[in-house]
Amino acid sequence: MKPLKFIIGLCLGILILAIPFSQFQPSPVESLQTLAVQLDGRKKPLDTVARETVAQIHGRLRYQTNDGNQLDYLSTYLSLWFNDRDWNEEPFILFSYRPLKERVGLESGRKYFTFAELITSDLGSVVLSARQKQANEQDLSRDEREALTIEERLGLMLDTVGQNSLPLVPHPSQPKGTWVSIPETGQYYQPEVEQTLASNYDNLKSHFDSISILGQTGQQLQTELRQLSPQIYPSVKNLEREVNFYKLHPFGKAWILYAIAFCVMLIVLLFPTFDFYWGAIGIFTSGLLIQGYGFIERMQIAGRPPVTNMYESVIWVGFGVAAIA
């Protein structure tokens, strides 16, 4: 009976991992999600750029616009990128530190503010004071540290909205060479190449509201970019791996399985007649498996062991403790 209950628990864990089943369905804009971008010292899919940008500015991966539309992170990023609405007046920028809000004359009860509101507030004076202290190597107050964080969000917003400076065009020969934006294609390639890429970009922008056309145009753009430098451009497999990694969110699901296993084990201890100890072990094992899978995928994506920052180290140590236990 023990192996059977273990298998049942393991299957329950795997079933939980598979929910929602929609995560395994291909996206109609997958070709756009897997456009390669060279940022932060590596080549990453546009999906990751969108996810990180929206999370850094807004603090969440979903945004409700002034007109009531619910946008996911990719739609939000594309809207920023193509500047299809007045982002100066959208309450999109996260600002949660109450004392600083009161100091610069903003409503303390609000959490999100528009670009225009922040620019016209007294935030600039706090940022200037913080910069002067940094230049003099003085310690910053909490208000000043928070002000610099808001400044970073404002800067990222400026770099994203309506900007055609995203480095999408690969270097023609050097794996670590600098990529350029579509308007800068002429630095590496013939003028007709730049015209073709610019035309596809304009098609993307003009068909932003049509998912099917957006996917087709994204595929055309990716194909042309890949053909420019097939040895330099990341493989479809590697780009899809990163997109699917974030879609599955293995570390988040692992702790959910650990929590469920803990609750089941607690019930077993409190109610001995509920004989499902090995089932709890099976659920716990499924958590270990998905977390181990997450580490393998993360190493494949980053090209290094997942222990180079505090976040990765904490997860790695937790995984080790759980595995030993």
Side-chain angles (χ1 to χ4, degrees):
M1 288 297 292
K2 290 180 181 179
L4 178 60
K5 290 179 180 178
F6 176 81
I7 292 172
I8 291 174
L10 191 63
C11 291
L12 285 173
I14 294 173
L15 180 62
I16 293 170
L17 290 175
I19 299 173
F21 298 110
S22 59
Q23 65 185 310
F24 302 108
Q25 296 176 354
S27 169
V29 292
E30 185 174 344
S31 58
L32 198 58
Q33 290 177 289
T34 55
L35 271 178
V37 185
Q38 187 190 59
L39 280 179
D40 303 325
R42 73 179 184 93
K43 306 174 188 72
K44 60 180 75 174
L46 183 65
D47 183 84
T48 299
V49 176
R51 185 185 296 271
E52 292 174 346
T53 300
V54 172
Q56 185 173 343
I57 300 174
H58 189 56
R60 301 173 59 189
L61 294 180
R62 300 192 68 85
Y63 173 63
Q64 181 172 333
T65 63
N66 275 335
D67 52 13
N69 291 330
Q70 288 282 351
L71 303 179
D72 61 16
Y73 66 92
L74 184 60
S75 297
T76 302
Y77 181 81
L78 292 176
S79 181
L80 288 164
W81 188 20
F82 298 144
N83 197 18
D84 74 328
R85 64 181 68 245
D86 187 0
W87 282 101
N88 281 324
E89 301 300 332
E90 290 282 342
F92 182 64
I93 302 172
L94 175 65
F95 191 165
S96 57
Y97 187 56
R98 182 183 291 266
L100 181 58
K101 286 187 282 188
E102 294 173 348
R103 177 176 173 180
V104 301
L106 296 172
E107 296 178 43
S108 59
R110 288 175 56 190
K111 191 175 180 180
Y112 298 101
F113 295 85
T114 69
F115 187 90
E117 286 174 322
L118 294 176
I119 289 296
T120 56
S121 71
D122 292 332
L123 181 67
S125 61
V126 184
V127 171
L128 181 60
S129 172
R131 292 298 182 194
Q132 290 174 341
K133 281 189 175 182
Q134 282 184 327
N136 296 327
E137 298 183 351
Q138 296 176 321
D139 292 335
L140 302 181
S141 66
R142 173 69 184 275
D143 281 6
E144 289 164 339
R145 292 196 300 271
E146 292 290 339
L148 292 179
T149 299
I150 303 302
E151 183 194 31
E152 290 178 3
R153 291 175 184 153
L154 289 169
L156 185 56
M157 187 94 169
L158 272 176
D159 291 340
T160 305
V161 175
Q163 295 295 321
N164 195 9
S165 57
L166 205 60
L168 296 169
V169 182
H171 193 280
S173 58
Q174 298 178 13
K176 295 185 178 181
T178 302
W179 289 28
V180 296
S181 64
I182 290 177
E184 299 170 322
T185 304
Q187 294 183 21
Y188 296 148
Y189 302 99
Q190 297 298 320
E192 54 269 22
V193 174
E194 181 178 341
Q195 292 173 4
T196 302
L197 295 178
S199 175
N200 277 319
Y201 172 78
D202 290 338
N203 284 337
L204 275 178
K205 190 173 182 179
S206 60
H207 294 103
F208 170 64
D209 293 330
S210 175
I211 296 297
S212 59
I213 298 178
L214 193 64
Q216 294 172 6
T217 309
Q219 183 61 61
Q220 291 175 0
L221 180 59
Q222 183 176 151
T223 299
E224 288 165 358
L225 289 169
R226 187 180 301 279
Q227 288 175 347
L228 291 177
S229 187
Q231 301 301 319
I232 305 300
Y233 207 87
S235 68
V236 174
K237 181 180 179 181
N238 287 340
L239 293 168
E240 288 179 345
R241 173 184 284 118
E242 185 163 348
V243 172
N244 293 332
F245 172 83
Y246 285 109
K247 187 187 296 185
L248 180 60
H249 197 32
F251 298 144
K253 290 192 174 181
W255 78 259
I256 293 174
L257 290 170
Y258 293 150
I260 293 173
F262 173 79
C263 291
V264 173
M265 189 67 73
L266 193 61
I267 293 173
V268 170
L269 292 175
L270 294 176
F271 304 97
T273 55
F274 182 70
D275 187 15
F276 201 63
Y277 171 84
W278 284 101
I281 296 297
I283 297 173
F284 182 80
T285 302
S286 66
L288 288 176
L289 291 175
I290 189 61
Q291 191 170 4
Y293 167 79
F295 276 119
I296 293 172
E297 288 295 280
R298 194 171 179 89
M299 283 190 286
Q300 292 288 333
I301 291 167
R304 54 172 173 74
V307 290
T308 57
N309 57 51
M310 183 61 70
Y311 167 75
E312 292 177 337
S313 298
V314 168
I315 294 179
W316 176 253
V317 171
F319 174 71
V321 171
I324 294 172

